[in-house]
C-alpha cells in the first residue's frame, strides 16, 4: 500500500458507515501539529469539511466543473506542464502513458467523473495559510500535510492530496467561513474502496540514484 493511497468510496451505504469520526480527525491533526515549523511560526490552519457541509461543497464543485464559462482561480498560481523542469515533465508524461495503458481511452472520462465528485471523499482537510504568507511557510504547510496523512494512515484512514479540492477557493471561503487565508492543499480522508478500478493507479518513483547524492 502506498503512503497515501487514493480514496474512492462510491456506494452511499458504504460511505455513510465509513466517515472518519470527529475524535479520530482531531487526533490526526494533533499528531500533525508536531511537524516542523519555521522559527515555530505555526502558520498553518486546518478546516475539515464532512457531512452536509461537504455535500454542499461537492454539489457546487460539480456544477462549476461542468460550466464551460467557469475557470479555475486557485490561490496558488497554476503552472502549465510545459513550464515545469524537463525531468518533472518526463515523470508526468510517463504517468500519463501508464494510466492510458491501464484504462485506455476511458481514463479521462473516468478521472473527470471522480474529480467532479471530489473523489467521493467522506471528509476533506483543507490546509490554509495567512493570505500574506511568506515562502518559508510553504514548507510548513507541506510538512503538516504529509504528517497529517501519515497520522491518518496510522489509524487505518486513507488519504489523497489533490489540487481538485482547492480549485475554487473563493467558494470555499464562503462555505467554510474562512477569511484572509489562502487555501494551499486539500486532502481527502476516508477508507479505500479496493474494488474501484481507479485505485489501481500508482505513481512510479524515480530511481534512488537519480534523487539522492551522498558526498563524503
Amino acid at each position: 500500500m502506498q503512503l497515501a493511497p487514493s480514496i474512492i468510496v462510491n456506494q452511499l451505504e458504504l460511505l455513510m458507515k465509513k466517515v472518519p469520526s470527529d475524535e479520530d480527525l482531531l487526533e490526526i491533526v494533533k499528531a500533525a501539529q508536531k511537524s516542523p515549523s519555521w522559527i515555530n511560526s505555526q502558520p498553518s490552519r486546518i478546516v475539515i469539511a464532512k457531512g452536509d457541509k461537504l455535500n454542499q461543497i461537492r454539489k457546487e464543485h460539480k456544477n462549476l466543473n461542468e460550466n464551460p464559462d467557469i475557470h479555475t482561480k486557485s490561490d496558488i498560481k497554476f503552472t502549465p506542464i510545459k513550464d515545469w523542469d524537463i525531468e518533472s515533465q518526463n515523470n508526468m508524461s510517463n504517468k500519463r502513458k501508464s494510466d492510458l495503458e491501464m484504462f485506455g481511452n476511458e481514463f479521462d472520462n473516468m478521472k473527470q467523473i471522480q474529480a467532479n465528485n471530489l473523489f467521493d471523499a467522506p471528509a476533506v482537510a483543507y490546509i490554509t495559510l495567512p493570505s500574506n504568507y511568506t515562502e518559508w511557510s510553504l514548507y510548513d504547510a507541506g510538512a503538516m500535510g504529509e504528517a497529517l496523512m501519515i497520522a491518518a494512515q496510522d489509524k487505518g484512514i486513507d488519504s489523497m492530496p489533490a489540487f481538485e479540492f482547492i480549485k475554487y477557493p473563493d467558494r470555499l471561503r464562503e462555505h467554510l467561513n474562512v477569511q484572509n487565508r489562502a487555501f494551499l492543499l486539500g486532502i481527502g480522508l476516508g477508507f479505500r474502496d479496493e474494488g474501484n478500478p481507479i485505485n489501481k493507479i500508482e505513481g512510479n518513483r524515480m530511481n534512488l540514484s537519480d534523487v539522492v547524492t551522498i558526498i563524503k
Side-chain angles (χ1 to χ4, degrees), residues 16-213:
M16 292 176 65
K17 292 180 180 178
K18 290 291 185 177
V19 178
S21 69
D22 290 0
E23 180 181 5
D24 280 346
L25 292 173
L26 290 173
E27 289 180 2
I28 288 168
V29 174
K30 184 176 181 179
Q33 282 186 278
K34 296 179 181 180
S35 59
S37 174
W38 179 252
I39 320 180
N40 202 36
S41 52
Q42 303 183 69
S44 301
R45 300 291 182 273
I46 297 176
V47 180
I48 300 176
K50 57 187 291 192
D52 291 340
K53 177 56 66 177
L54 182 54
N55 287 335
Q56 293 171 15
I57 294 172
R58 197 190 322 272
K59 181 178 179 180
E60 183 175 26
H61 184 89
K62 183 176 186 294
N63 291 336
L64 291 172
N65 267 4
E66 292 178 344
N67 187 336
D69 297 324
I70 301 293
H71 302 284
T72 301
K73 190 178 180 182
S74 57
D75 287 334
I76 295 181
K77 180 181 177 182
F78 179 78
T79 303
I81 292 177
K82 65 180 180 62
D83 294 334
W84 289 65
D85 66 277
I86 190 62
E87 288 185 327
S88 294
Q89 288 187 47
N90 288 337
N91 288 333
M92 287 186 271
S93 177
N94 290 335
K95 173 69 165 53
R96 169 75 175 169
K97 291 177 182 177
S98 175
D99 293 339
L100 291 176
E101 287 175 0
M102 181 177 294
F103 295 103
N105 295 330
E106 290 299 313
F107 173 72
D108 288 332
N109 182 56
M110 179 179 65
K111 184 174 69 171
Q112 189 59 58
I113 291 173
Q114 297 291 351
N116 286 350
N117 291 289
L118 294 178
F119 313 103
D120 288 318
V124 178
Y126 299 94
I127 297 181
T128 73
L129 289 176
S131 55
N132 62 340
Y133 65 84
T134 71
E135 291 185 355
W136 292 107
S137 294
L138 291 173
Y139 174 84
D140 286 27
M144 177 167 274
E146 180 71 3
L148 186 147
M149 289 186 281
I150 293 174
Q153 188 79 20
D154 190 54
K155 285 187 170 292
I157 297 173
D158 294 310
S159 58
M160 179 181 178
F163 169 75
E164 193 72 32
F165 293 120
I166 56 167
K167 280 176 67 175
Y168 308 108
D170 287 342
R171 300 305 305 138
L172 291 175
R173 275 184 273 274
E174 183 170 332
H175 277 293
L176 302 173
N177 193 28
V178 172
Q179 303 300 324
N180 302 316
R181 298 192 68 82
F183 282 79
L184 272 289
L185 180 65
I187 301 175
L189 297 167
F191 297 83
R192 182 184 178 97
D193 179 3
E194 297 290 353
N196 195 300
I198 203 168
N199 275 326
K200 298 183 184 299
I201 296 175
E202 293 186 359
N204 293 329
R205 292 298 183 255
M206 298 170 63
N207 292 330
L208 184 62
S209 59
D210 293 328
V211 175
V212 62
T213 300

